[in-house]
Amino acid sequence: IDEDKIDNLLSLPLKAMNAYEQKYGNIDIDNIDLNSFNDVDSQSKYNKNRFKKVLYKLSEMLGINPESIFESEDPKEAIKELSNKLKSLDNVDDIDDIFYELSNLKLLNDIELYENEETSENSELVHLLYNTLAEKQGLEIDDDILESENNL
């Protein structure tokens, strides 16, 4: 299953509810059981691949071998180096799309932190890149970066 198929599967419940509502009128959303779609898991294969795609895109943009980041003995230091190189760029191609992906991944990590009272794997790395791109866009950065286990 590729990313597009997963996105389609995740959107099907909403499409079904819209079709039902058009045919039968208003529905009480609170009575519909969509538990499996409310669960978040930043460590799912899907979300890990989303983060890897962001890293590949940024690495290629900067002329860095992405494998050097994934094979680094210190992933946090590798991400910091990537961030420093990003800061030196005047223009980041597709910055909105990349920032959107990082925002979603950061949100998943924040939800998991709230629910589990501990950081998720690689959440620190997501947060560092999120702040770098937020700063590039003139947005407020989130200085509350909690350490996490980092393993790319």
Side-chain angles (χ1 to χ4, degrees):
I1 294 180
D2 64 10
E3 188 174 342
D4 291 333
K5 288 181 182 176
I6 291 172
D7 286 339
N8 287 338
L9 287 172
L10 292 173
S11 68
L12 286 175
L14 297 176
K15 289 179 182 177
M17 288 188 318
N18 286 336
Y20 182 91
E21 187 173 10
Q22 287 177 358
K23 185 170 183 175
Y24 300 108
N26 278 344
I27 56 176
D28 185 5
I29 300 288
D30 294 332
N31 292 331
I32 297 178
D33 187 18
L34 295 176
N35 299 7
S36 62
F37 296 104
N38 291 329
D39 294 337
V40 295
D41 182 9
S42 66
Q43 300 309 302
S44 69
K45 185 175 181 180
Y46 171 69
N47 286 318
K48 284 183 172 184
N49 283 338
R50 286 174 62 197
F51 186 48
K52 285 182 178 181
K53 284 183 179 184
V54 166
L55 292 176
Y56 272 103
K57 188 176 249 185
L58 291 173
S59 298
E60 290 171 0
M61 189 182 306
L62 295 166
I64 299 172
N65 178 4
E67 296 304 320
S68 67
I69 294 172
F70 295 113
E71 295 170 3
S72 173
E73 290 182 26
D74 187 354
K76 182 178 174 179
E77 194 57 40
I79 294 298
K80 282 183 176 182
E81 288 178 31
L82 183 70
S83 292
N84 287 334
K85 289 184 179 186
L86 278 170
K87 287 176 184 178
S88 69
L89 283 182
D90 291 332
N91 186 27
V92 177
D93 294 336
D94 300 326
I95 192 169
D96 292 332
D97 294 336
I98 297 168
F99 186 72
Y100 176 78
E101 280 297 314
L102 285 170
S103 296
N104 286 333
L105 293 169
K106 182 181 175 300
L107 178 61
L108 286 177
N109 290 327
D110 290 345
I111 291 169
E112 288 176 344
L113 174 63
Y114 176 77
E115 289 179 351
N116 303 327
E117 297 181 4
E118 63 183 15
T119 58
S120 304
E121 185 176 319
N122 295 328
S123 63
E124 181 180 17
L125 305 180
V126 169
H127 205 137
L128 288 168
L129 282 174
Y130 169 88
N131 277 351
T132 299
L133 290 181
E135 187 176 20
K136 293 237 18 112
Q137 291 187 301
L139 302 172
E140 187 175 322
I141 62 171
D142 182 0
D143 288 327
D144 191 23
I145 300 176
L146 301 175
E147 289 189 11
S148 69
E149 182 179 334
N150 297 316
N151 183 16
L152 297 173

